[in-house]
Amino acid sequence: MKVSASILSADFANLASELNLLEKYHADAVHIDVMDGVFVQNLTIGCDVISAMRKYSNLTFDTHLMIANPQPYIEKFANAGSDIITIHQEALGIKTKDVLLKIKSLGKKCGISIKPSTNIAEIEDLLHIVDLILIMTVEPGLGGQKFLENQIEKIVNARQMIDKSGYNIQLSVDGGINDITGKICADIGVNMLVSGSYIFKDLGKNIKILQNL
């Protein structure tokens, strides 16, 4: 199991130290939620902060764009140091494929994310492009929410869809992840867990717990 630590739960006054701790405790990636106040209600960090963070960490930067119009900014997020750039199906619709191909053309891995209300079938025609599928198990926009159990069936369906396709795609889950919900996800085929508030309660202990599920 890979663990992507959500940086929104870190101490933003000491980001360099927090990144060093994530490396020390062997997190697999840093999950960076970018929110624009339009696609979701919250407003968070942008390219400049990611670029500053990059100077202090060699970890994989797993950038999740929860923004309404990502197309003009893809190159900026790539240049800032993102290794994986994940966009939302709901934000782009028929333009999603073009944006994913743009990410790949910049030498980055690309991901597609869907909200709890979105059917997994909507992204089936993108499997030949994506490196990662991110299932949201909370409504995106705020940290610390409770895992939505009604998303378990969707995760199972996503795992079956990936296996049937034969493509090497990471199945990631984000929202309300702790030792209990992480175990549920691990048992149904998830291979990357995004966690913030749970991990940062005790970095050394909780990263290891999730990685060993």
Side-chain angles (χ1 to χ4, degrees), residues 75-126:
E75 192 163 352
K76 291 181 179 180
F77 281 108
N79 291 338
S82 302
D83 299 295
I84 307 168
I85 300 175
T86 297
I87 59 175
H88 265 267
Q89 167 70 12
E90 302 88 359
L92 289 159
I94 60 172
K95 297 179 181 179
T96 302
K97 181 178 178 180
D98 292 339
V99 178
L100 290 170
L101 290 172
K102 173 66 173 178
I103 296 169
K104 300 278 271 194
S105 75
L106 296 168
K108 306 297 181 178
K109 291 185 176 181
C110 68
I112 187 70
S113 183
I114 55 174
K115 294 181 178 182
S117 60
T118 302
N119 193 303
I120 191 69
E122 291 191 26
I123 61 170
E124 189 168 7
D125 63 346
L126 301 172

Side-chain angles (χ1 to χ4, degrees), residues 64-81:
H64 179 193
L65 300 184
M66 288 183 267
I67 61 179
N69 185 32
Q71 301 100 307
Y73 307 106
I74 295 300
E75 192 163 352
K76 291 181 179 180
F77 281 108
N79 291 338

Side-chain angles (χ1 to χ4, degrees), residues 137-181:
T137 46
V138 297
E139 288 296 332
L142 294 172
Q145 297 183 68
K146 185 178 178 182
F147 180 91
L148 295 173
E149 293 188 4
N150 62 5
Q151 296 303 296
I152 292 173
E153 182 179 358
K154 183 188 292 183
I155 298 167
V156 171
N157 291 339
R159 178 75 269 165
Q160 292 172 346
M161 190 172 73
I162 292 169
D163 291 345
K164 184 179 178 181
S165 76
Y167 293 112
N168 183 23
I169 300 170
Q170 194 104 46
L171 180 56
S172 182
V173 169
D174 182 4
I177 296 299
N178 54 36
D179 54 333
I180 297 170
T181 57

Side-chain angles (χ1 to χ4, degrees), residues 195-209:
S195 182
S197 54
Y198 170 74
I199 279 182
F200 280 92
K201 287 176 183 175
D202 189 332
L203 281 176
K205 176 183 176 183
N206 292 341
I207 288 174
K208 182 178 265 188
I209 286 173

